[in-house]
Amino acid sequence: MMMSRLKKSILYWVLLSPLMIVILFPFGVMFVTAVRPRDELFVYPPRWTFSEFHWGNFVDMWGKTNFGGALLNSLYVSVSSTALALVLSIPAAYALSRHRFRGKGSYRNFLLMTQMMSPIVLVLGLFRLMVQFGLVNNLNSLVLTYAAFNMAFTIWMLQSYFNTIPRELEEASWMDGANHFVSLTKIFLPLAVPAMVVTGIFSFINSWNEFVLALTMIRSTENYTLPVQIFAQVAGRYQIEWHHVMAGTVLATVPVAIVFSWLQRYLIRGMALGAVK
């Protein structure tokens, strides 16, 4: 029995190994470039060994660029837009899940259609709108636009998750004297935490990686987010410091990896909950 399971595990790992190589290869190239000496970047075969990691590339990159400020800007924009999207999406998703009203089907179709539209199609209109509000070169312009684009996804996903929560739990609390607000905050939302974490993770990643709107709305270097800051190390330069670019890219992936590791158990529970519908 144990040998049979071992053989199956080995077989599965062999079948998955090509996919793992394809996924991990870009990260490997990125990391190796980040820790190689500048003089060895385009030398093949390399004359340095892996024991001679140049961790100073990260220190030099941090000092020569505005990476620390861009990191804080991206954290502020991503966390704020995700929180705003969830706060506005939860009531809408609850209404779609628990109530019947005219135009419900059309509203759900509208949410689905908005996911098919690229932000670049609306970038000119959004820029003019932010000019009217006086929010150009302001991080809050990104918070509002990212939250608006994420809301369609979060409402759609949360509504699907909310449908899996039995109505009888809320009805039992109403019979015990609880009003709708108490049943929502004390009974319903605690059961929906895995769903909210899953949608929050994807919203956070969308905001963290977004580039076009940030490049359009932000003008000053002190307000750059990480994607724009890394792009600024490449665009319009006669000589590109690739070891600095890759060092910045490696560090930019760390917050997302931390979020995934920290919330992994909620992510698995939420995805399993969505599958049982």
Side-chain angles (χ1 to χ4, degrees):
M1 187 66 177
M2 293 295 296
M3 290 299 298
S4 177
R5 291 182 178 178
L6 180 60
K7 290 180 179 179
K8 287 184 178 180
S9 299
I10 295 175
L11 177 61
Y12 292 152
W13 278 110
V14 171
L15 294 176
L16 290 174
S17 58
L19 179 61
M20 293 177 59
I21 293 174
V22 171
I23 294 175
L24 295 178
F25 180 76
F27 293 95
V29 172
M30 180 174 64
F31 177 77
V32 170
T33 306
V35 297
R36 289 184 70 175
R38 178 182 178 182
D39 298 336
E40 296 286 331
L41 290 180
F42 301 104
V43 176
Y44 185 84
R47 295 174 297 186
W48 65 291
T49 63
F50 285 100
S51 61
E52 300 173 352
F53 286 164
H54 282 244
W55 301 108
N57 291 343
F58 293 91
V59 178
D60 294 340
M61 179 276 301
W62 193 285
K64 292 181 179 180
T65 65
N66 185 38
F67 189 88
L71 176 62
L72 294 177
N73 292 339
S74 286
L75 285 174
Y76 169 74
V77 169
S78 301
V79 172
S80 300
S81 61
T82 299
L84 180 60
L86 287 176
V87 168
L88 297 178
S89 299
I90 289 173
Y94 182 80
L96 286 173
S97 176
R98 290 297 192 255
H99 301 287
R100 295 180 179 179
F101 53 89
R102 184 174 298 178
K104 177 178 178 179
S106 300
Y107 181 68
R108 296 183 70 222
N109 292 333
F110 169 76
L111 293 176
L112 187 61
M113 290 175 59
T114 58
Q115 293 299 291
M116 304 177 185
M117 185 177 299
S118 174
I120 198 172
V121 178
L122 303 176
V123 67
L124 180 58
L126 288 171
F127 179 77
R128 296 184 63 181
L129 182 64
M130 293 304 163
V131 169
Q132 295 295 324
F133 290 158
L135 292 177
V136 174
N137 197 32
N138 190 317
L139 292 177
N140 291 322
S141 64
L142 297 181
V143 172
L144 294 176
T145 52
Y146 290 172
F149 277 105
N150 287 331
M151 276 183 61
F153 170 78
T154 53
I155 292 174
W156 184 271
M157 292 297 296
L158 287 174
Q159 183 259 329
S160 299
Y161 287 124
F162 289 174
N163 288 340
T164 64
I165 300 178
R167 296 174 178 266
E168 290 77 9
L169 296 176
E170 295 174 274
E171 294 172 354
S173 66
W174 297 340
M175 294 180 64
D176 291 337
N179 55 33
H180 286 271
F181 179 78
V182 172
S183 65
L184 176 65
T185 56
K186 300 296 185 181
I187 305 297
F188 188 86
L189 290 183
L191 295 175
V193 167
M196 292 186 287
V197 170
V198 170
T199 53
I201 288 175
F202 284 104
S203 297
F204 178 87
I205 293 174
N206 289 336
S207 301
W208 185 266
N209 294 329
E210 203 285 324
F211 171 74
V212 175
L213 291 175
L215 182 65
T216 304
M217 301 293 182
I218 302 302
R219 291 289 183 265
S220 58
T221 57
E222 61 268 16
N223 288 332
Y224 279 175
T225 57
L226 278 180
V228 181
Q229 179 61 44
I230 294 174
F231 171 75
Q233 299 181 45
V234 179
R237 293 177 179 265
Y238 293 104
Q239 184 177 9
I240 301 174
E241 304 287 348
W242 284 112
H243 54 304
H244 288 169
V245 175
M246 292 304 175
T249 307
V250 169
L251 293 181
T253 62
V254 171
V256 177
I258 293 175
V259 169
F260 261 95
S261 301
W262 182 34
L263 302 176
Q264 183 180 12
R265 61 191 181 97
Y266 291 106
L267 180 65
I268 295 174
R269 286 174 55 191
M271 295 180 69
L273 181 62
V276 184
K277 181 183 176 182

